[in-house]
Amino acid sequence: MGKLNIVGLGYIGLPTGLMFAANGIEVVGTDLNKKLVDTLNDRKLTFEEKGLPELFEKALAGGIEFSDSLIKTDRYIITVPTPYIKENKKIEAKYVIAAVSQVFDICEKGAVVVIESTVSPGTIDKFVRPIAEEKGLAIGKDVHLAHAPERIIPGNMVFELENNSRTIGADSQEIAEEIRTWYKSFCKGDIVLTDIKTAEMSKVVENTFRDINIAFANELAKICDREGMNVYELIGIANKHPRVNILQPGPGVGGHCISVDPWFLVGDYPDIVNIILAARHVNDAMPDYVIQRMGEIMRENGINDISEVGLYGLTYKENVDDLRESPTLQMLERFDKYFVKGINIFDPMVRDNRVDGQTQDFDEFIKKSKFIVVLVGHNHLKENEERFKNKIILDTRNIFEAGEKVYKL
Ligand code: SAJ
């Protein structure tokens, strides 16, 4: 077999390519972004992730190559991004379509093309298969298509790449089994084989399940607030039941996946969905709820000056540097409407200033902020808990011990 070509070296493609290369597979990683490829060729990583530096070293020792142009081979994995369009709540499959199209133009006859990028169910039938037809290629003979949706969680990607089970959807058992042997080079989990459409749907269903579970936790937080009860204690108790596993409330659901994928089901089955849509509404309303709680706490403590308020955390969750759909950004958008200027913002994971009011200086942030809203529970926060002493805190991530001036969601 020829080299395995990983097309798209972002959050999924890079760790995946490195993992194959570290486990004896000959890999070329391709990305059209020359700067990104140059950085990797300079032996520098392009984002922060636990365990990635060590994996990078192993992959380099295993001979991984990086290229800014597509080379001809007989096996490809497509890991290009699928940008989210807020206005119509859809993801854009154009990069997947463009990548597959370029691959079909140059690949060996009989090549296998696996799409890992998340696509909305039906995308491969509707938009990818026709590309082969347009190019006069017979699927199943000239080229083989498959879908192996990625499942790794940012913050624990390297561990999950090795240990999660996987799904491979293909048109034939034989091709699915061949692809399974590629992934078996590093994957210790079960690798389940199915058809392409079921693989597409399973990915969206997994993320939707998590969205609904978090929405339930967020709704419980509001009920507990009204009743003067501790939602974390309540969830802790309920979760002792062997068949209950409620997730944690938070300031909203961010990231490129969980807040996006349920919309595909809403869009495709508007006459059927109820809880899926309700969960989206509950989670999308959480940044507003946090703003409302901020207002209450400021009034209660006589804080009138917004420059005495600090927001800790800009990323969509702890210990990642990804800002996509982050609850903090959603709050800032809503603040803009009310002309709230002068608020202090700090995030140790975001090393360049991305929004007004952001500082890189933690000491300055702490000094200026009398009232701090904790929106992300980075390890940095846990290591610096004593710096928050004597502050009024709205702790949306349940990091701090309960106290007189520590408010929870
Ligand atoms: N969140 C809560 N409460 C929780 C857990 C999460 O409010 O108890 C929030 C987070 O703070 C964050 C959002 O939800 O804003 C999403 O974070 P996450 O850690 O739940 O998930 P992602 O988006 O980082 O990764 C998910 C994972 N999907 C599932 O667990 C079903 C991952 O396995 C997928 O690979 C990834 O989506 C993806 O790429 O689809």
Side-chain angles (χ1 to χ4, degrees), residues 41-60:
N41 278 327
D42 283 346
R43 304 172 90 90
K44 288 189 202 118
L45 280 170
T46 42
F47 66 95
E48 291 188 34
E49 173 66 34
K50 190 174 71 191
L52 205 57
E54 296 79 4
L55 185 63
F56 193 34
E57 287 308 315
K58 283 191 201 150
L60 289 169

Side-chain angles (χ1 to χ4, degrees), residues 150-152 203 207 210 247-248 254 257 316-317 397:
E150 60 84 11
R151 256 185 184 165
I152 50 179
K203 165 73 194 195
N207 281 348
R210 195 160 167 86
L247 290 169
Q248 296 293 297
C257 310
Y316 83 93
K317 69 172 191 179
R397 298 290 187 173

Side-chain angles (χ1 to χ4, degrees), residues 22 65 73 78 102 113 116 130 133 161 192 200 229-230 254 257 270 284 336 351 369 386 405:
E65 294 166 27
T73 180
I78 310 291
Q102 285 163 22
V113 182
E116 269 208 30
E133 279 154 34
L161 258 174
V192 177
E200 288 176 323
M229 290 165 75
N230 180 333
C257 310
D284 271 353
D336 267 356
R351 306 260 159 84
S369 315
E386 82 292 349
K405 293 291 174 201

Side-chain angles (χ1 to χ4, degrees), residues 275-290:
I275 51 170
I276 297 171
L277 182 58
R280 277 285 74 241
H281 288 321
V282 169
N283 289 336
D284 271 353
M286 286 313 284
D288 283 311
Y289 182 65
V290 178

Side-chain angles (χ1 to χ4, degrees), residues 227-247:
E227 289 299 328
M229 290 165 75
N230 180 333
V231 67
Y232 303 100
E233 185 193 1
L234 178 71
I235 290 176
I237 294 170
N239 283 353
K240 293 273 182 222
H241 187 290
R243 282 171 296 282
V244 174
N245 185 16
I246 308 167
L247 290 169

Side-chain angles (χ1 to χ4, degrees), residues 267-316:
D268 288 345
Y269 310 99
D271 55 325
I272 299 176
V273 296
N274 279 311
I275 51 170
I276 297 171
L277 182 58
R280 277 285 74 241
H281 288 321
V282 169
N283 289 336
D284 271 353
M286 286 313 284
D288 283 311
Y289 182 65
V290 178
I291 293 174
Q292 180 199 318
R293 297 280 288 127
M294 278 175 71
E296 287 163 12
I297 295 165
M298 286 170 74
R299 277 193 293 282
E300 200 178 310
N301 290 278
I303 298 173
N304 303 312
D305 184 354
I306 198 77
S307 66
E308 291 183 333
V309 180
L311 303 183
Y312 180 98
L314 258 179
T315 59
Y316 83 93

Side-chain angles (χ1 to χ4, degrees), residues 115-287:
I115 297 171
E116 269 208 30
S117 311
T118 304
V119 290
S120 70
T123 297
I124 294 178
D125 277 352
K126 267 189 256 160
F127 302 108
V128 180
R129 288 188 198 278
I131 306 171
E133 279 154 34
E134 277 161 30
K135 294 184 186 290
L137 298 171
I139 293 180
K141 204 167 138 225
D142 299 326
V143 282
H144 300 279
L145 265 182
H147 184 44
E150 60 84 11
R151 256 185 184 165
I152 50 179
I153 198 150
N156 201 24
M157 285 177 154
V158 176
F159 176 86
E160 292 209 347
L161 258 174
E162 274 185 318
N163 292 288
N164 284 2
S165 103
R166 301 194 69 107
T167 315
I168 295 172
D171 293 335
S172 78
Q173 180 80 8
E174 191 195 341
I175 291 297
E177 275 170 12
E178 181 189 324
I179 299 167
R180 176 153 61 186
T181 63
W182 309 356
Y183 285 102
K184 269 283 166 215
S185 63
F186 63 81
C187 175
K188 297 184 196 128
D190 283 346
I191 302 184
V192 177
L193 308 184
T194 182
D195 59 87
I196 288 180
K197 211 165 172 184
T198 306
E200 288 176 323
M201 188 65 101
S202 67
K203 165 73 194 195
V204 170
V205 163
E206 289 158 16
N207 281 348
T208 302
F209 172 79
R210 195 160 167 86
D211 195 44
I212 293 170
N213 193 333
I214 298 169
F216 180 53
N218 283 333
E219 207 156 88
L220 291 178
K222 291 183 181 174
I223 292 173
C224 285
D225 182 47
R226 187 175 294 174
E227 289 299 328
M229 290 165 75
N230 180 333
V231 67
Y232 303 100
E233 185 193 1
L234 178 71
I235 290 176
I237 294 170
N239 283 353
K240 293 273 182 222
H241 187 290
R243 282 171 296 282
V244 174
N245 185 16
I246 308 167
L247 290 169
Q248 296 293 297
V253 169
H256 180 55
C257 310
I258 298 204
S259 63
V260 172
D261 296 359
W263 287 114
F264 304 152
L265 299 175
V266 174
D268 288 345
Y269 310 99
D271 55 325
I272 299 176
V273 296
N274 279 311
I275 51 170
I276 297 171
L277 182 58
R280 277 285 74 241
H281 288 321
V282 169
N283 289 336
D284 271 353
M286 286 313 284

